[in-house]
Amino acid sequence: MNEKKFTNFWAHRISRWSKVSYKAGLAAIAAVLWMALPVKSDAQQSMEDDALFIRKIYDQTLTDCSAYDWLAFLCKKIGGRLAGSPQASAAVEYTGQMLDTLGLDAVWKQPCTVPHWVRGDKERVRVVSSFKLGSFDLRTTTLGNSVPTPEGGLVAEVVEVQSLDEVDRLGEEGVSGKIVFFNRPMNPQEINTFSAYGGAVDQRGSGPSRAAKYGAVGALVRSMTTEIDDHPHTGSLGYSPDFPKIPAMAVSTRDAEKLSDLLADGPVRVFMETNCNSFDPKPSFNVIGEIKGSEHPEQIIVIGGHLDSWETGEGAHDDGAGCVQSMAVLQTLMRLGYKPKRTIRCVLFMNEENGLAGGRAYGAAANEKGEFHMAAIESDRGGFTPRGFTFDADESVFAEKFKKVYTWQPLLEPYGLSLSKGGSGADIGPLKSQKGLLIGFYPDSQRYFDYHHTETDRLEAVNKRELELGAASMTALVYLLDKYGLDR
Amino acid sequence: MNEKKFTNFWAHRISRWSKVSYKAGLAAIAAVLWMALPVKSDAQQSMEDDALFIRKIYDQTLTDCSAYDWLAFLCKKIGGRLAGSPQASAAVEYTGQMLDTLGLDAVWKQPCTVPHWVRGDKERVRVVSSFKLGSFDLRTTTLGNSVPTPEGGLVAEVVEVQSLDEVDRLGEEGVSGKIVFFNRPMNPQEINTFSAYGGAVDQRGSGPSRAAKYGAVGALVRSMTTEIDDHPHTGSLGYSPDFPKIPAMAVSTRDAEKLSDLLADGPVRVFMETNCNSFDPKPSFNVIGEIKGSEHPEQIIVIGGHLDSWETGEGAHDDGAGCVQSMAVLQTLMRLGYKPKRTIRCVLFMNEENGLAGGRAYGAAANEKGEFHMAAIESDRGGFTPRGFTFDADESVFAEKFKKVYTWQPLLEPYGLSLSKGGSGADIGPLKSQKGLLIGFYPDSQRYFDYHHTETDRLEAVNKRELELGAASMTALVYLLDKYGLDR
């Protein structure tokens, strides 16, 4: 059989066996041939097996997968799930029950202690005097972890800045007694929207304390999105212990532009009220399910997302999607009858949004028990069409581990996946010291910040096929990690 | 300056000049270095220029581009634009006026003669007797080019088939006097949804005539989408001249499943009525704008989409998106003060959906005038996140031309674009005999068939950033085609 005949033979065979198109069969074969060229025929056979099994994973996931139904329950029957809330407890119970149905080797809840912040029922920012428009409300929402305004709210003049540095430059004279309005937009020229987010989010995270340093009484922050629309986007702030805590709220991008226009015409005074509150920390849980490894049970591969979400929306893309995709990885492997060599563990982390208590508790327990996490994949960038994975590890081991993983690229490329260096996920970050491989699932980023931390992050924003393709991509990578391992 | 220093120097320089992140600068440099390795320093300089100019194209398009506003007008002020309709005339007028504002060298309308089919105001398919559910309506819409039912509609028993072959097997005995219901789903296991579409659409295109061959009185066709939902999807059928023309309608996927379930329980009779009609052909137009080339005006690079659309929705993704992206290519080049060597021509084709009169007229006129189309890019796969381009050409020239284009891959990769062999677009197909390069813009395909030819293909389904990224991608490729040319 010459090379061409061989290719045709296998393309047809793959196509018949796994019901893929002849073209997809050819692509798989191309991958196999490409990889097989310099190696011996055992390895060739092994790569053919891989191409076929990965095709099976996609076939199974695209036709028979519960991810979307689980997400629908999380979004519509439970809703937003901030740590410490009744909804977060419901999500722990529900996902635990669903994992119980999969026939895994073990399902359990891992305790952690979470902050308990509640938005309250008053959220109002009103321009009370301006040169052109007089009085009107701005579309706003309180930032997570914020302190409340004094009872009855506060009124102050607004000063607009583009950066934390500008607050420093204005100093006490420019800021004291005022509300500082951080209005630097996310840069629309960034192709990856997460880079644009990274370039603007210091205003939300650190802006309020910077303003407080110079005597500001409140902070307003432009919502973190490149869209110009009417939805205020919440998210956590972090107070510096060195300065007074002042209340802080997010403003929709359209109203941020409007406020900025008004400020160009003259002084603007604003009324600001929020009765959010922090209560005593509460007990909560990570939810965990696993298939024990048959050969190296002590080597753990984690897949996970975070179960908590902001309550302004339904936590669909952030991060219900990542949770149900991680659960679906186990479901698919079980349904295909796959017996892993290594332990494959799905972890649904609690409290990523405003504390990271779940991720920290998981990391601490893992270290305490001397567990080794060979690899951990987090899906926390939305349930959009997969584009690949980004890889991170301790510097001393990164090159060697990534080199091995990169040899799998031809097997994943037919599914639109590319592998590159980059961040992983907040919840799995504490595992980095174990010197395993940390992996971030990387879906298309263009729409993510349209929905991020706002009321539009609902089930309707998630496409079933895209969600499933993500789950299948994660399963394929888990399969390769399990089969070939990564040297410790 | 060693290699590392060189890289850092240029990454910072690019980053400062074009306001991209340092990381994107690095990526551009990596591309440049990769390409420059085996070549001389003139070429290296040239590639640096390219990386910078392409970055400029994206910066300009993502911050100052009219594509989305134009699309909003086409969708909301004009609406669905079937060839021969008043809306199609409005679209010709509007896009001509918009091209007129760009300061191009020429804008004109190119005549063509289009079929004039009208859906009518009666569209009903009702199950009139079934074992389980008695009578109820199915969600349906008439297929384009269909003949009407006899006045007052028709009633007949339904026979379900999975393929055209199955109609042959049933023959006259199984089909005569009945309504044939084509119900083979699009294959959800295909990763590229266009492949799934290609594997099912013969039922819509050729099913009705196949059924008529054996005496069927009507045809129902499962809607072309992998979603299970309530939207019937229209689209063209083609009648064979050898058999009677029978009326044909599309059924929503959910109702197709329901009808199939009913048929499993016993005979189902259906009432079917549509008063669609074909009238005399009408004069219409392609809309064309161009920038004349300074060195090789006789070498033409076309970018285009089709201006007509089904009237069930607003023709947003199909193909308002492709039209406004093509217009935006010229707008961006003009705003950047780019003086092309070759003639760059935007063509908005008429009547792609039900006749291809515009594409044919354009091709015929081009051949008649002896014009040479060095390359033609069509955007007709929706306004989603770009993933690359697919290339086609006459077999005798394909390899050589694609080889040249493929050297540009490293310049386009930082923007998520990959180049591969594949189809181009229906409207530019008639240019193939000129032996230029035909190119299809290839955006992410996952959501396309959720909206295709149905009421949900509205402006709201299009994301502004994704649309603009597509326009920028097309502009970048046009720039490279213009600068380097492709040997005739």
Side-chain angles (χ1 to χ4, degrees):
Chain A
M1 207 184 295
N2 64 22
E3 192 179 308
K4 199 172 169 189
K5 269 194 189 158
F6 171 84
T7 304
N8 270 315
F9 172 76
W10 277 101
H12 277 298
R13 214 166 143 193
I14 292 189
S15 152
R16 208 174 57 243
W17 286 347
S18 60
K19 294 191 209 140
V20 302
S21 76
Y22 175 73
K23 245 165 143 186
L26 264 182
I29 281 295
V32 166
L33 285 178
W34 187 91
M35 300 190 68
L37 279 179
V39 292
K40 66 180 191 292
S41 105
D42 269 9
Q44 186 171 331
Q45 182 58 48
S46 167
M47 289 297 172
E48 284 173 17
D49 293 348
D50 293 341
L52 288 172
F53 195 79
I54 290 172
R55 186 61 249 187
K56 260 194 190 166
I57 287 170
Y58 277 86
D59 287 350
Q60 172 70 31
T61 310
L62 287 168
T63 52
D64 181 21
C65 168
S66 301
Y68 190 82
D69 291 342
W70 290 330
L71 185 64
F73 195 101
L74 281 177
C75 289
K76 297 301 178 191
K77 304 283 181 184
I78 295 178
R81 309 170 288 281
L82 196 57
S85 69
Q87 288 87 345
S89 297
V92 166
E93 187 57 31
Y94 173 69
T95 51
Q97 288 184 15
M98 291 303 104
L99 286 172
D100 271 336
T101 65
L102 302 183
L104 307 174
D105 293 319
V107 175
W108 71 97
K109 300 193 293 183
Q110 178 181 53
C112 59
T113 302
V114 300
H116 184 205
W117 181 85
V118 176
R119 183 172 303 279
D121 55 5
K122 288 183 181 164
E123 285 194 309
R124 189 168 195 186
V125 177
R126 184 169 173 81
V127 170
V128 290
S129 79
S130 66
F131 179 70
K132 251 191 199 156
L133 297 181
S135 311
F136 63 96
D137 283 341
L138 296 174
R139 275 159 285 216
T140 50
T141 190
T142 307
L143 291 180
N145 300 347
S146 175
V147 294
T149 51
E151 180 109 13
L154 62 86
V155 176
E157 198 180 317
V158 175
V159 54
E160 177 179 345
V161 298
Q162 296 298 309
S163 68
L164 275 64
D165 287 352
E166 195 178 341
V167 180
D168 290 332
R169 285 197 297 275
L170 288 173
E172 217 164 294
E173 195 182 347
V175 163
S176 182
K178 293 185 180 164
I179 292 169
V180 175
F181 167 41
F182 293 89
N183 194 32
R184 183 170 85 260
M186 274 171 59
N187 179 4
Q189 297 176 338
E190 292 282 1
I191 305 302
N192 184 329
T193 61
F194 285 90
S195 304
Y197 180 68
V201 75
D202 63 328
Q203 302 174 97
R204 188 191 80 207
S206 309
S209 275
R210 190 65 63 95
K213 181 177 176 182
Y214 302 103
V217 295
L220 295 174
V221 182
R222 181 189 180 99
S223 284
M224 296 293 143
T225 176
T226 54
E227 290 270 289
I228 301 298
D229 65 23
D230 294 329
H231 308 295
H233 295 236
T234 190
S236 274
L237 62 81
Y239 287 122
S240 158
D242 302 332
F243 310 110
K245 295 179 177 183
I246 59 172
M249 300 173 84
V251 185
S252 79
T253 48
R254 203 188 314 274
D255 281 356
E257 304 258 290
K258 194 166 161 186
L259 180 57
S260 182
D261 286 349
L262 284 181
L263 283 161
D265 287 332
V268 174
R269 289 173 68 78
V270 150
F271 167 78
M272 183 171 170
E273 183 176 30
T274 168
N275 64 349
C276 60
N277 218 335
S278 287
F279 299 94
D280 287 342
K282 291 194 83 75
S284 187
F285 302 93
N286 298 323
V287 179
I288 305 178
E290 76 175 20
I291 314 176
K292 262 265 177 295
S294 60
E295 287 180 29
H296 306 290
E298 78 290 356
Q299 297 185 11
I300 298 167
I301 300 169
V302 156
I303 43 200
H306 65 84
L307 202 45
D308 64 307
S309 81
W310 291 106
E311 11 64 287
T312 43
E314 295 171 0
H317 279 292
D318 186 13
D319 181 28
C323 291
V324 300
Q325 285 174 327
S326 300
M327 296 161 70
V329 170
L330 295 190
Q331 182 183 48
T332 298
L333 292 176
M334 292 299 293
R335 288 190 171 170
L336 292 176
Y338 182 73
K339 305 284 179 219
K341 296 182 192 174
R342 295 166 171 83
T343 294
I344 300 178
R345 190 183 278 175
C346 162
V347 185
L348 311 180
F349 296 95
M350 182 50 70
N351 183 223
E352 191 270 349
E353 292 296 0
N354 61 338
L356 214 65
R360 290 208 183 97
Y362 184 85
N367 287 332
E368 201 172 300
K369 286 183 244 167
E371 287 180 346
F372 173 57
H373 286 73
M374 189 191 87
I377 308 176
E378 181 154 4
S379 168
D380 185 20
R381 292 163 177 158
F384 303 92
T385 296
R387 302 209 61 159
F389 296 93
T390 51
F391 294 82
D392 186 26
D394 186 90
E395 229 177 281
S396 62
V397 298
F398 178 79
E400 166 209 348
K401 289 186 196 286
F402 183 62
K403 201 173 143 191
K404 178 150 189 191
V405 166
Y406 199 71
T407 62
W408 305 333
Q409 169 81 56
L411 285 162
L412 299 172
E413 212 158 64
Y415 303 95
L417 303 174
S418 65
L419 312 179
S420 60
K421 189 172 179 169
S424 59
D427 297 293
I428 59 177
L431 297 171
K432 193 163 179 175
S433 59
Q434 295 195 358
K435 303 198 177 179
L437 194 56
L438 302 186
I439 306 169
F441 168 58
Y442 176 39
D444 193 271
S445 79
Q446 298 310 323
R447 293 171 182 244
Y448 187 67
F449 291 96
D450 299 359
Y451 308 119
H452 187 242
H453 296 182
T454 192
E455 57 203 315
T456 57
D457 187 11
R458 291 192 297 254
L459 180 67
E460 292 76 4
V462 177
N463 179 277
K464 183 170 179 286
R465 265 183 75 82
E466 293 181 0
L467 182 76
E468 290 169 353
L469 284 169
S473 305
M474 290 163 65
T475 311
L477 183 57
V478 164
Y479 160 76
L480 292 167
L481 286 164
D482 176 60
K483 181 164 173 191
Y484 295 106
L486 296 170
D487 297 330
R488 187 160 190 169
Chain B
M1 205 183 298
N2 65 21
E3 193 178 308
K4 197 170 168 191
K5 270 194 187 157
F6 171 83
T7 303
N8 269 315
F9 172 77
W10 276 101
H12 278 297
R13 213 167 144 191
I14 290 189
S15 152
R16 210 173 56 242
W17 285 348
S18 59
K19 293 190 212 145
V20 302
S21 75
Y22 174 72
K23 244 165 143 184
L26 265 181
I29 282 294
V32 166
L33 285 178
W34 188 93
M35 301 192 67
L37 280 180
V39 292
K40 66 178 191 295
S41 106
D42 268 10
Q44 185 171 332
Q45 181 59 49
S46 168
M47 289 295 172
E48 284 173 18
D49 293 348
D50 293 340
L52 289 171
F53 195 78
I54 290 173
R55 186 62 249 187
K56 260 193 190 168
I57 287 171
Y58 278 86
D59 287 349
Q60 172 70 31
T61 310
L62 287 167
T63 52
D64 181 22
C65 167
S66 301
Y68 190 81
D69 291 341
W70 290 331
L71 185 63
F73 195 101
L74 281 176
C75 289
K76 297 302 178 189
K77 304 284 183 183
I78 295 179
R81 309 170 288 279
L82 195 58
S85 70
Q87 289 88 345
S89 297
V92 166
E93 187 57 30
Y94 173 69
T95 51
Q97 287 184 13
M98 291 303 104
L99 286 172
D100 271 336
T101 65
L102 301 183
L104 306 174
D105 292 321
V107 175
W108 70 97
K109 301 193 292 184
Q110 178 180 53
C112 60
T113 302
V114 301
H116 184 207
W117 180 87
V118 175
R119 183 171 304 279
D121 54 5
K122 288 184 182 165
E123 284 193 310
R124 190 169 195 184
V125 177
R126 184 169 174 81
V127 170
V128 290
S129 79
S130 66
F131 179 70
K132 252 190 197 157
L133 297 182
S135 311
F136 63 96
D137 283 341
L138 296 173
R139 274 159 286 217
T140 49
T141 190
T142 306
L143 291 180
N145 299 346
S146 175
V147 294
T149 52
E151 180 110 12
L154 62 86
V155 176
E157 197 180 320
V158 175
V159 55
E160 178 180 344
V161 298
Q162 296 298 308
S163 67
L164 275 63
D165 286 352
E166 196 178 339
V167 179
D168 290 332
R169 286 197 296 276
L170 289 173
E172 217 164 297
E173 195 181 346
V175 164
S176 183
K178 293 186 180 164
I179 292 169
V180 176
F181 166 41
F182 293 90
N183 193 32
R184 182 169 86 259
M186 274 171 58
N187 180 4
Q189 297 176 338
E190 292 281 4
I191 306 301
N192 184 329
T193 61
F194 285 90
S195 304
Y197 180 69
V201 74
D202 64 329
Q203 301 173 98
R204 188 191 80 207
S206 309
S209 274
R210 190 66 64 94
K213 181 177 177 183
Y214 302 103
V217 295
L220 296 175
V221 182
R222 180 189 179 99
S223 285
M224 296 294 142
T225 177
T226 54
E227 291 269 290
I228 302 298
D229 65 23
D230 294 329
H231 308 295
H233 296 235
T234 190
S236 273
L237 62 80
Y239 287 121
S240 158
D242 301 332
F243 309 110
K245 295 179 177 184
I246 60 172
M249 300 172 83
V251 185
S252 81
T253 47
R254 201 185 318 272
D255 281 356
E257 305 259 290
K258 194 167 163 186
L259 181 56
S260 182
D261 286 350
L262 283 181
L263 284 162
D265 286 332
V268 175
R269 288 174 69 78
V270 150
F271 167 77
M272 183 171 169
E273 182 177 29
T274 168
N275 64 349
C276 61
N277 218 334
S278 288
F279 298 94
D280 286 342
K282 291 194 82 73
S284 186
F285 302 94
N286 299 323
V287 180
I288 305 178
E290 76 175 20
I291 313 176
K292 262 264 174 301
S294 58
E295 287 180 28
H296 306 290
E298 77 290 355
Q299 297 185 12
I300 297 167
I301 300 170
V302 157
I303 48 211
H306 65 84
L307 202 45
D308 64 306
S309 81
W310 290 106
E311 11 63 287
T312 43
E314 296 170 0
H317 279 294
D318 186 13
D319 182 29
C323 291
V324 301
Q325 285 174 327
S326 300
M327 294 161 71
V329 171
L330 295 189
Q331 182 183 50
T332 299
L333 292 176
M334 291 300 291
R335 287 189 172 172
L336 292 176
Y338 182 73
K339 305 283 179 220
K341 296 182 192 173
R342 295 167 171 82
T343 294
I344 299 178
R345 189 183 280 175
C346 162
V347 185
L348 311 179
F349 296 94
M350 182 50 68
N351 183 224
E352 190 271 348
E353 292 296 1
N354 61 337
L356 213 65
R360 289 207 184 100
Y362 184 84
N367 286 334
E368 201 171 300
K369 286 182 244 168
E371 286 180 346
F372 173 57
H373 286 74
M374 188 191 86
I377 308 177
E378 181 153 5
S379 168
D380 186 19
R381 293 162 176 159
F384 302 92
T385 296
R387 302 210 62 158
F389 296 93
T390 50
F391 295 82
D392 186 25
D394 187 89
E395 228 178 281
S396 61
V397 298
F398 178 79
E400 165 209 349
K401 289 186 196 289
F402 183 62
K403 201 173 143 192
K404 177 149 189 191
V405 166
Y406 200 71
T407 62
W408 305 332
Q409 170 82 55
L411 285 161
L412 299 173
E413 212 156 65
Y415 304 94
L417 303 173
S418 65
L419 312 179
S420 60
K421 189 172 181 170
S424 58
D427 297 294
I428 59 177
L431 297 171
K432 193 164 179 175
S433 59
Q434 295 195 359
K435 303 198 176 179
L437 194 57
L438 303 187
I439 306 169
F441 169 58
Y442 175 39
D444 193 88
S445 78
Q446 298 309 322
R447 295 172 181 243
Y448 187 68
F449 291 96
D450 299 0
Y451 308 118
H452 187 241
H453 296 183
T454 191
E455 57 203 314
T456 57
D457 187 11
R458 291 192 297 255
L459 180 68
E460 292 76 5
V462 177
N463 179 278
K464 183 171 179 286
R465 265 184 74 83
E466 292 182 0
L467 182 77
E468 290 169 353
L469 283 169
S473 304
M474 291 163 65
T475 311
L477 183 57
V478 164
Y479 160 76
L480 291 167
L481 285 164
D482 176 60
K483 182 166 172 189
Y484 295 106
L486 296 169
D487 296 331
R488 188 159 189 170

